[in-house]
Amino acid sequence: MNTVTLEPGEEVLLVLHRHWFVIARELLVLLLILFGGMVFLSLRTMFFPFFDAETVVPLSRFLFSLLTLLILAGCIAVWVNYYLDVWIITSRRIIDIEQRGLFNREISEFLVSNVQDVTTDVPGIIATLLHFGTMTIQTAGERSFPVYDVPNIDKAKSIILECAHRAQKQNV
Amino acid sequence: MPAVTTIALGLFAIFIAAYTTFGIALVYHIRRYTTPSDPSQTIARIFIVLSVIGLGAAAYFFFQVPWGAIRLGFSPI
């Protein structure tokens, strides 16, 4: 994002966020919690034999409004955590920006010319149907960089390997 | 002011303060780490608007609750 400065002659080839299924799954959980709250709100009459109806009705509305606010904050937090995780593949570097919660951001980068091996793993039926998976990039320093939930994983792998081969030929 | 009302008001104030702080932190991250033309800026504005509406609604429903009629503990038979 705006924390990345490109070198002269360097161009951005691919910008990847995690696959949309990841955020959809997390948002679905939040929406199910909200739906549970709506069901509870509609069933508040079952508390009437035990508590005053004039108290239960406004209290349940108030508590549901608080739940809605919490769900809203949860949704935006899920979005921030998803959207600020990004991989930028340039003609010279691979930049891995990982947002770990709030006020905790890790940026790793390594030269494309140091890439030795790229392994892809597409686990399960959903990942297979939606074409996303885990990509592990091995560098010359024998360090491994796992990248999770990568969309269009085959295309990303091809671009990285193509850049790596081109960079290594230039170095030779 | 009855004790229940005071406690409820205090807890609600804490909730508003915590929610506002958390919301500001989230919006800060979006503004800090995305470009001005990024769609996330629009999402941040929508979140702010919905939060203001939600907090207003929560405050309205809070004052609808007859806190003075709520008793802490059990009444003797």
Side-chain angles (χ1 to χ4, degrees), chain B residues 6 9-10 18 31 35-36 38 42 47 55 58-59 63-64 68 77:
Chain B
T6 306
L9 195 59
R31 291 194 187 273
T35 57
D38 196 282
T42 305
F47 168 68
L55 286 171
F63 289 109
Q64 294 292 308
I77 298 173

Side-chain angles (χ1 to χ4, degrees), chain A:
Chain A
M1 302 290 187
N2 58 1
T3 56
V4 176
T5 305
L6 294 178
E7 298 169 3
E10 184 180 17
E11 58 174 320
V12 175
L13 300 176
L14 191 62
V15 178
L16 291 172
H17 295 278
R18 285 186 289 162
H19 196 272
W20 61 261
F21 179 77
V22 175
I23 188 174
R25 185 176 53 198
E26 294 177 1
L27 289 177
L28 184 64
V29 171
L30 291 173
L31 290 177
L32 284 175
I33 294 172
L34 185 65
F35 181 72
M38 291 170 69
V39 170
F40 183 79
L41 184 69
S42 63
L43 295 176
R44 63 190 174 207
T45 53
M46 69 182 180
F47 292 104
F48 285 173
F50 309 102
F51 299 100
D52 185 14
E54 290 182 359
T55 303
V56 169
V57 171
L59 184 61
S60 60
R61 286 178 187 158
F62 170 65
L63 292 175
F64 183 73
S65 68
L66 294 185
L67 176 68
T68 306
L69 284 170
L70 289 173
I71 297 297
L72 177 65
C75 287
I76 197 73
V78 164
W79 168 259
V80 167
N81 196 41
Y82 162 82
Y83 196 72
L84 296 188
D85 283 354
V86 62
W87 300 285
I88 304 171
I89 302 170
T90 74
S91 53
R92 295 185 186 166
R93 297 175 289 169
I94 296 175
I95 304 165
D96 174 14
I97 302 174
E98 189 174 345
Q99 186 71 35
R100 298 178 174 180
L102 294 179
F103 303 107
N104 188 356
R105 191 168 172 85
E106 183 182 270
I107 301 175
S108 308
E109 60 180 74
F110 48 95
L111 298 175
V112 172
S113 59
N114 289 342
V115 172
Q116 294 286 311
D117 179 61
V118 179
T119 305
T120 58
D121 178 26
V122 182
I125 184 169
I126 294 175
T128 302
L129 292 174
L130 298 178
H131 305 290
F132 71 93
T134 301
M135 185 164 59
T136 304
I137 302 171
Q138 185 98 26
T139 65
E142 295 186 2
R143 287 185 63 189
S144 292
F145 292 89
V147 183
Y148 301 102
D149 304 316
V150 179
N152 299 316
I153 195 166
D154 294 327
K155 177 186 174 187
K157 178 184 175 181
S158 299
I159 291 176
I160 292 172
L161 286 175
E162 188 182 322
C163 287
H165 292 151
R166 197 181 314 137
Q168 286 160 8
K169 280 181 186 174
Q170 286 176 352
N171 288 343
V172 170

Side-chain angles (χ1 to χ4, degrees), chain B:
Chain B
M1 187 184 289
V4 176
T5 307
T6 306
I7 293 169
L9 195 59
L11 291 175
F12 187 47
I14 292 171
F15 175 86
I16 292 176
Y19 183 90
T20 305
T21 304
F22 187 67
I24 289 172
L26 290 170
V27 172
Y28 165 79
H29 278 74
I30 292 175
R31 291 194 187 273
R32 172 74 173 85
Y33 296 116
T34 60
T35 57
S37 59
D38 196 282
S40 291
Q41 303 285 346
T42 305
I43 291 173
R45 287 188 208 105
I46 293 172
F47 168 68
I48 293 169
V49 170
L50 290 177
S51 292
V52 170
I53 294 172
L55 286 171
Y60 172 77
F61 290 129
F62 175 84
F63 289 109
Q64 294 292 308
V65 178
W67 297 106
I70 298 174
R71 297 284 179 265
L72 292 175
F74 296 97
S75 299
I77 298 173

